[in-house]
Amino acid sequence: MKVLPRLHKAVLLNSALGAVLVAAVGGAYAVVVSSDSSSAKHTDTRTAAVSTGKVQATVTGAGLLTSPSDAGVNFTTGGQLTKVEVKPGDKVTKGQELAKVDDTAARQALAQAKTSLVAAKANLAKVQEGQPASPPAGSGSNPSGAPSHSASPAPSASASPSTKPSPSPSASASTPPGPIGGLGDLSVHNVSYAVPVANPSVDPNLLVQAQAQVSQAQTALDTAQRTLDGTVLTAPVDGTVASVGATVGQTVIGTTYTSGAGAVPGTPPAPGTTGGAAAGGTPAAPSGFIVLTNPTGMQVKANVSEADSLRLKPGQAATVTLTAQSTTVLNARVLSVSTLAVNGGTGAAAQYPVTLDIMGPTKDLHTGQGVSVQIVAGEASDALFVPTAALSGTGNQRTVTVVAADGTAHSAQVTVGVESDTNTQITSGLTQGQKVRITTVAP
């Protein structure tokens, strides 16, 4: 009779443990079901009609305004500034004097170079007063040019006429030469060299030296003249002064480089001047002792992705929107598309520079303004098209799902043309009015 209470207690304990186990399993199942249901995605299906209209493919990018007429100009001769004729904001014209440095040393060098050239020319004239050069050394000619019978060949040669029936030496100068290598031929040449001259012959070595001295003196004079010219800085183009690098009394360093439109053709830009691009392919602002800006011929330098660059070509129409003035939209055309990629930054894809010409007034634009561009890469009017989302695949051949009037669906292959972000032209495979399925998957 005492066993029953023990059994009853064990049953109660086991029942409690079982209930706990069932609850735990049920909780785990609920968690799994909840997790599966949360990872499921919602699929939405709708249809769209094949329509006709205009399809326009565009390429977008961002960049900066720049002007090929901007110029950063520098002195070609350094020195202490004695004049600065302009200040930022001043309007200047091409050729106008902007600034000067002390030219005292340059004028003295030019005067010395002129004196040296006069002396070199006088020396050359003296050398040229002589007669033509004497025969080559070893011919026995008399450098003084005085008559001398010692200039003739060896006595054996001069005595030959007396042993052979040939013309006398006195007549040999007017008689045609004998056979090649004969004594008659030798006597004719000797007589011609022995003709007396009135003035000393020109020394060829002295002549070459004198001519070289004149050439060197002329080069030195040209250099001195350029050095003097380089003490005056003039405007290479019309424009507005954007900056001035120093004031009167300060010293500037001369350079052989001039940036922007004032550059000498074929001359590379100096470090920091216009003529290249900054990191990332953005155009570098002009720099120099004086910087001139000119909105004439304003351009846009922008970067686009590699895929977009392959769709662009010169002449395509575009619109340019000022970043700081979104209501200002300018018309433009693609001028060039670079095939050299620029670094888009760490971890970023390469970009390709595109240059666009602004069409229309540019007087209110400024170099360095940020812009966004939209280029028309392709366009089709009265084109058959479907939403781009209805297509699958890549290339010109794509696949769509056509939905019949009775609700049945089948796959169809189509050929595509111009493709925009929203619509794609269909050149074959569909007719207007057909329905295509668009399937979207949402989380």
Side-chain angles (χ1 to χ4, degrees), residues 60-335:
T60 59
L64 298 174
L65 290 179
T66 181
S67 173
S69 299
D70 289 349
V73 291
N74 296 289
F75 282 99
T76 56
T77 301
Q80 186 178 42
L81 282 167
T82 57
K83 277 187 180 181
V84 177
E85 305 282 2
V86 295
K87 62 184 182 300
D90 286 352
K91 301 288 186 180
V92 299
T93 57
K94 182 178 180 180
Q96 179 178 333
E97 183 176 303
L98 305 177
K100 291 182 68 175
V101 296
D102 184 10
D103 61 0
T104 303
R107 289 188 178 279
Q108 291 174 350
L110 180 62
Q112 179 61 44
K114 289 180 177 179
T115 300
S116 297
L117 179 59
V118 170
K121 288 183 175 180
N123 181 60
L124 176 61
K126 289 180 179 180
V127 174
Q128 290 175 331
E129 288 176 357
Q131 296 297 318
S134 302
S139 63
S141 60
N142 187 352
S144 65
S148 175
H149 296 288
S150 62
S152 61
S156 60
S158 62
S160 60
S162 62
T163 58
K164 294 185 181 180
S166 58
S168 64
S170 61
S172 60
S174 60
T175 305
I180 296 175
L183 295 177
D185 178 64
L186 179 61
S187 65
V188 169
H189 285 278
N190 288 336
V191 171
S192 64
Y193 284 140
V195 173
V197 292
N199 298 313
S201 299
V202 175
D203 187 316
N205 294 327
L206 292 179
L207 180 62
V208 170
Q209 292 176 6
Q211 290 172 337
Q213 289 172 357
V214 171
S215 178
Q216 293 170 0
Q218 183 64 59
T219 300
L221 177 62
D222 294 341
T223 300
Q225 185 63 60
R226 286 194 298 269
T227 300
L228 180 60
D229 294 342
T231 62
V232 179
L233 191 64
T234 58
V237 293
D238 296 344
T240 302
V241 177
S243 64
V244 179
T247 58
V248 172
Q250 293 182 307
T251 299
V252 295
I253 298 175
T255 174
T256 57
Y257 302 125
T258 304
S259 66
V264 177
T267 304
T273 61
T274 316
T282 57
S287 64
F289 171 69
I290 292 179
V291 174
L292 304 176
T293 59
N294 188 333
T296 302
M298 189 68 75
Q299 297 177 339
V300 174
K301 303 288 187 180
N303 295 330
V304 299
S305 68
E306 180 178 6
D308 285 341
S309 70
L310 299 176
R311 302 164 59 192
L312 301 181
K313 59 184 179 181
Q316 291 173 326
T319 55
V320 176
T321 304
L322 300 183
T323 303
Q325 303 174 29
S326 59
T327 57
T328 303
V329 180
L330 309 169
N331 293 323
R333 287 193 180 278
V334 175
L335 178 64

Side-chain angles (χ1 to χ4, degrees), residues 342-416:
V342 295
N343 186 8
T346 304
Q351 299 281 299
Y352 287 79
V354 178
T355 302
L356 301 94
D357 273 335
I358 300 294
M359 315 296 291
T362 58
K363 64 183 182 64
D364 295 326
L365 302 179
H366 305 286
T367 296
Q369 287 181 290
V371 298
S372 60
V373 300
Q374 187 175 61
I375 306 169
V376 179
E379 189 174 77
S381 300
D382 297 325
L384 204 65
F385 67 89
V386 297
T388 302
L391 298 167
S392 60
T394 58
N396 293 333
Q397 300 298 317
R398 308 283 183 89
T399 301
V400 296
T401 300
V402 179
V403 180
D406 59 3
T408 60
H410 68 276
S411 178
Q413 188 176 57
V414 297
T415 303
V416 301

